[in-house]
Amino acid sequence: GADITQATLRGGDFHTGTGRYAVGKIDVDGRALTYATRHDTLSAPSSLPNEAFRRSRQWLWADYAVPEGLSADYLALTGLRMTVDSLVTDADGLSLRLSQLAFAAHGGLRVTGAEGSVRMDSRGIRVPQLTLRLPESTLTARADIPYAALDSAARGTMDVRLSSAIRRSDLAALLTGYVTPDDLAALPDDGMTLGVRVTGNMAHLAIEEGTLAVPRCLTLTVGGSGTDLMDDARRTLDLRLEVNVADGTRLTRFAGMEGTVSVPSASRLKGRLTARATAYAADLMLSAAGGSMTTRLKADMQTEQYAATATARALPLGRLLPGSGLSPFSGSVKVAGRGFDPTALASRLMAEADIERL
């Protein structure tokens, strides 16, 4: 259903013979736009006038429940304004240049502006720059994705860059309907920033820049590469990550772990994750409240063999596990075995512990 106040099209150029259609400018000013679909019924919806689309939450199907948040199956926009500076579609693809977009979605999300351009054709998708503005946030994307870069032959190279600075109110609107009210209440007051750049193809893909920062809470950085991602027998992966915790109290509240786990402020986790075909490994080092722990994990998904070693030096268990009464731990633990199902007859497990202090 749609309630469009005014729609203007300028500079139209239509060639039915060649299949090329171009528009110089499109302006849309609409009060409401509603769309809904469902996948669990073959029955047709009722036919209702536009006013019913805008005013009723139980139109179309008698038992239809409107999703609480954003959904591909339901769209209800109000205050819709859009300006397209150019739109061209032909036998090769489609190109669009957007200069304005604003609306309020039914779940609380508001878009206050957008501009950018998109080109889609038989070779791929190109987005020189696309910016989306929310009341207190900005999201920017740039992408050049040849379809050939996504197949196993890897004949092209992609370059995708995303960056955003999302404030708490806009983040809550995006997540409404997907997380609990308690989780929404625990969102960080200062929101978060995200930046990532991915280049390459399925033969060699690299994360050159990956950062997630929650002000006064934590910073996560990740980078690395993978090769032969479409080939289970030859796939490799090499990722490095680092997590720095500024305020552990904020982190445990945001993660819903208050009272169960405590993360000391100024804690750090550094690690490297690798994969070779079906074999995976992780090397991690945790530093917290003057103590540390290094961990080495290995597992083969095909043979179901695994091994883990952990060495701790004055690891503050009492601070990490509130109420446990445990003192700082120094020592090492080794585990090795085979079989991911412990109840299987062929499963084996061996463990060894060397406790220096507890």
Side-chain angles (χ1 to χ4, degrees):
D3 186 357
I4 304 298
T5 304
Q6 183 176 353
T8 304
L9 183 151
R10 299 184 181 93
D13 184 14
F14 307 111
H15 293 270
T16 57
T18 62
R20 184 181 186 276
Y21 304 91
V23 177
K25 190 167 187 176
I26 302 174
D27 286 304
V28 176
D29 185 0
R31 287 184 292 183
L33 176 66
T34 306
Y35 163 84
T37 187
R38 62 187 298 178
H39 308 284
D40 59 347
T41 182
L42 297 178
S43 61
S46 303
S47 177
L48 299 175
N50 283 343
E51 287 300 307
F53 279 87
R54 295 200 298 117
R55 298 176 184 274
S56 173
R57 293 180 62 85
Q58 294 292 340
W59 32 272
L60 292 185
W61 297 273
D63 60 343
Y64 187 78
V66 172
E68 183 179 356
L70 296 175
S71 170
D73 294 334
Y74 179 80
L75 181 70
L77 309 180
T78 58
L80 175 64
R81 299 191 310 277
M82 180 177 69
T83 299
V84 176
D85 287 337
S86 69
L87 173 64
V88 178
T89 177
D90 52 30
D92 194 37
L94 177 147
S95 64
L96 177 147
R97 187 164 70 245
L98 180 71
S99 63
Q100 181 189 27
L101 177 66
F103 59 81
H106 77 284
L109 175 67
R110 289 180 56 218
V111 172
T112 58
E115 62 268 351
S117 58
V118 178
R119 171 68 184 177
M120 295 183 292
D121 55 33
S122 59
R123 295 176 294 276
I125 301 173
R126 287 176 293 282
V127 183
Q129 180 157 330
L130 182 64
T131 301
L132 182 69
R133 293 186 175 86
L134 309 181
E136 298 184 2
S137 311
T138 302
L139 295 85
T140 301
R142 297 180 181 180
D144 184 359
I145 309 176
Y147 296 137
L150 303 178
D151 63 31
S152 56
R155 294 183 296 270
T157 301
M158 75 174 81
D159 188 346
V160 179
R161 308 183 193 193
L162 302 174
S163 64
S164 65
I166 307 178
R167 301 290 293 181
R168 185 182 189 279
S169 59
D170 296 327
L171 187 58
L174 285 168
L175 295 177
T176 295
Y178 293 95
V179 301
T180 67
D182 289 341
D183 291 333
L184 290 177
L187 289 174
D189 296 334
D190 298 320
M192 61 181 63
T193 61
L194 171 67
V196 64
R197 182 182 184 186
V198 178
T199 62
N201 51 46
M202 294 299 100
H204 188 279
L205 194 69
I207 302 176
E208 299 185 9
E209 307 165 6
T211 303
L212 171 66
V214 180
R216 299 184 296 165
C217 183
L218 67 84
T219 301
L220 166 66
T221 58
V222 61
S225 62
T227 63
D228 297 311
L229 300 179
M230 304 292 287
D231 189 336
D232 292 342
R234 300 174 58 190
R235 181 187 301 118
T236 69
L237 186 68
D238 191 345
L239 295 177
R240 298 181 184 273
L241 64 87
E242 181 172 339
V243 181
N244 289 282
V245 178
D247 188 331
T249 301
R250 289 174 179 267
L251 175 60
T252 54
R253 183 172 65 247
F254 172 55
M257 300 185 300
E258 284 184 299
T260 304
V261 175
S262 176
V263 179
S265 298
S267 297
R268 174 182 292 182
L269 176 67
K270 296 182 67 174
R272 182 184 181 189
L273 309 177
T274 60
R276 299 290 184 273
T278 61
Y280 295 83
D283 291 281
L284 305 171
M285 180 174 181
L286 171 67
S287 302
S292 65
M293 181 175 69
T294 58
T295 304
R296 169 73 170 172
L297 308 172
K298 295 190 297 182
D300 191 305
M301 308 307 292
Q302 184 174 13
T303 65
E304 296 193 6
Q305 291 182 309
Y306 58 88
T309 61
T311 302
R313 293 288 180 265
L315 186 68
L317 293 180
R319 293 191 60 179
L320 297 173
L321 303 172
S324 66
L326 296 173
S327 62
F329 169 67
S330 295
S332 62
V333 176
K334 298 180 180 180
V335 175
R338 182 170 185 169
F340 297 146
D341 181 0
T343 64
L345 293 177
S347 295
R348 297 290 185 269
L349 173 65
M350 295 179 292
E352 177 183 336
D354 182 5
I355 299 176
E356 298 177 14
R357 179 185 176 188
L358 179 60

